[in-house]
């Protein structure tokens, strides 16, 4: 089972940015946490982070024919990017949206999620555990429904 874990703008700055919202732990510690989790569950994960919308779309497109599923935290592009929504629809892989914070209990503009329209499930508001739940959910989904291709 091979998955892409894609993170959007400013996720590389967690541990520095708005600690009251995103916590004290760094992006490097998120990577370690996810690598260990994927290793334990025998998941081959490829990690990608970019601050650019186009590069995130390139990463989603690269998943086509290379991955069985996608976990994505599009960060602020969640609330603006029809292009990321279209890319997720185009590759048509099972995708899960993740957020560290609860986007439904913050500013009104964060309540809109375009990628959610192409995702089988969303996990938010649980910090690193949002990613953990997404990985375990995707694993179970792929085991139940089979891997694409
Ligand atoms: C975020 C929530 C977004 O609204 C915000 O723009 C981010 C991070 C989260 O993980 O909680 O950058 O995606």
């Amino acid at each position: 089972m091979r998955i892409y874990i894609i993170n959007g703008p400013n996720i590389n700055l967690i541990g520095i940015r708005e600690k009251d919202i995103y916590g004290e732990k760094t992006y490097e510690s998120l990577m370690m946490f996810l690598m260990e989790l994927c290793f334990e569950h025998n998941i081959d994960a490829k990690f990608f982070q970019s601050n650019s919308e186009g590069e995130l779309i390139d990463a989603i497109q690269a998943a086509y024919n290379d991955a069985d599923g996608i976990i994505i935290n599009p960060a602020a592009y969640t609330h603006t990017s029809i292009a990321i929504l279209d890319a997720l629809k185009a590759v048509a892989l099972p995708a899960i949206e993740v957020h560290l914070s609860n986007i439904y209990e913050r500013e009104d503009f964060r309540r809109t999620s375009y990628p959610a329209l192409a995702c089988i499930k969303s996990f938010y508001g649980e910090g690193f555990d949002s990613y953990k739940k997404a990985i375990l959910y995707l694993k179970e989904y792929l085991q139940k429904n089979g891997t694409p291709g």
Side-chain angles (χ1 to χ4, degrees):
M1 183 177 301
R2 181 164 160 84
I3 65 171
Y4 275 27
I5 301 179
I6 301 172
N7 280 295
N10 303 306
I11 300 300
N12 57 319
L13 290 189
I14 61 168
I16 297 170
R17 67 184 290 215
E18 300 174 281
K19 290 184 192 173
D20 50 325
I21 296 172
Y22 301 115
E24 303 260 341
K25 290 188 273 182
T26 62
Y27 179 71
E28 287 68 32
S29 65
L30 175 63
M31 291 300 100
M32 289 300 293
F33 173 80
L34 296 178
M35 278 175 202
E36 277 170 24
L37 186 74
C38 289
F39 181 76
E40 270 171 38
H41 288 271
N42 206 19
I43 297 168
D44 175 13
K46 190 167 171 183
F47 297 91
F48 187 84
Q49 190 277 328
S50 177
N51 296 322
S52 307
E53 187 175 14
E55 287 185 3
L56 295 170
I57 292 163
D58 290 342
I60 294 166
Q61 291 189 5
Y64 184 67
N65 279 341
D66 190 40
D68 302 313
I70 296 174
I71 288 170
I72 184 164
N73 182 349
Y77 289 130
T78 304
H79 319 298
T80 61
S81 182
I82 295 167
I84 288 176
L85 167 63
D86 284 349
L88 289 169
K89 283 186 170 175
V91 301
L93 291 167
I96 302 187
E97 174 197 22
V98 160
H99 299 285
L100 294 155
S101 66
N102 185 343
I103 57 170
Y104 298 102
E105 287 185 354
R106 297 180 60 190
E107 303 93 327
D108 281 352
F109 62 81
R110 293 188 204 272
R111 288 171 184 255
T112 299
S113 169
Y114 289 107
L117 300 171
C119 288
I120 57 172
K121 184 96 180 147
S122 301
F123 291 96
Y124 48 83
E126 300 191 66
F128 286 12
D129 278 350
S130 298
Y131 289 83
K132 180 177 180 175
K133 288 187 178 174
I135 288 168
L136 299 182
Y137 187 93
L138 184 58
K139 181 181 176 185
E140 205 178 307
Y141 179 92
L142 291 170
Q143 280 169 342
K144 233 183 252 165
N145 297 281
T147 50

